[in-house]
Amino acid sequence: MSQRQGVDLSYEDGARAVELAREAVESYVQNGQREHPGSMRDAFYARTGAFVRLESTCGRGSLRGCAGGYRSDEQLGHVIVDAAIEAASDSSCGSEVTPSELPNLTVSVCAVKNVVLTDDPLADLELGVHGVAVDGGGKSGWLYPTVPVENDWSEREYLDRVCRKARLPPTAWQDDDVVVTLFEGQVFREREADGSIEQL
């Protein structure tokens, strides 16, 4: 296993990360423009990966968009902006977020801390601690560290679901030619659309 340290965000850093992601989504959806992080908090200069999730609060709620990566040579502030824009675009969940949807979206950000390459994901995976990314056959997929806890999944089910998200067979994580990466991350999200922010 190999590890790479990322950045530790304070609550204030995390809250600003979510605000930045929302600003980027709104600027892109309303004006077709890329938000610039502007005067960034010190932590946002760290070069590390991040993910952004957009969820609809309408009806039973649903994933509206997700994007990002567990490693990046870019500064965190810029990674968050780019991931937020991609999550709101039609390349994420098949249709672009529209202005009328904005009041009903909650935004969350996962800032990557440690990246672990594993040869034995079932043994190394800690539910609630690790996010999972799989890469194989030109396909890739990932899920947040919080997702299996929210859905009461076992380790095996979590790995299967990440493979499905990557459009691979559910058990592809067991194949030698599929790379499984575990990542730790800090997750911050809006409790309600454009509302107060909590750390998970």
Side-chain angles (χ1 to χ4, degrees), residues 50-115:
F51 300 92
V52 173
R53 280 174 76 190
L54 308 176
E55 294 177 275
S56 172
T57 60
C58 293
R60 291 188 299 166
S62 62
L63 182 66
R64 193 59 191 84
C66 56
Y70 56 85
R71 57 173 161 249
S72 176
D73 294 326
E74 298 294 318
Q75 293 172 342
L76 177 60
H78 292 282
V79 173
I80 290 169
V81 168
D82 291 340
I85 290 171
E86 188 179 343
S89 74
D90 58 8
S91 65
S92 177
C93 284
S95 63
E96 196 162 285
V97 171
T98 62
S100 64
E101 291 180 85
L102 291 173
N104 301 310
L105 285 182
T106 58
V107 177
S108 68
V109 173
C110 175
V112 174
K113 280 171 57 174
N114 294 315
V115 176

Side-chain angles (χ1 to χ4, degrees), residues 8 17 33 38 50 58-59 95 97 99-100 118 120 127 129 150 192:
D8 275 312
Q33 295 177 338
C58 293
S95 63
V97 171
S100 64
T118 174
D120 191 351
L127 293 177
V129 172
E150 292 165 359
E192 55 196 37

Side-chain angles (χ1 to χ4, degrees), residues 5 54 69 76 94 99 109 117 129 142 145 151 163 175 185:
Q5 190 70 34
L54 308 176
L76 177 60
V109 173
L117 283 174
V129 172
W142 55 268
N151 292 283
C163 291
D175 297 346

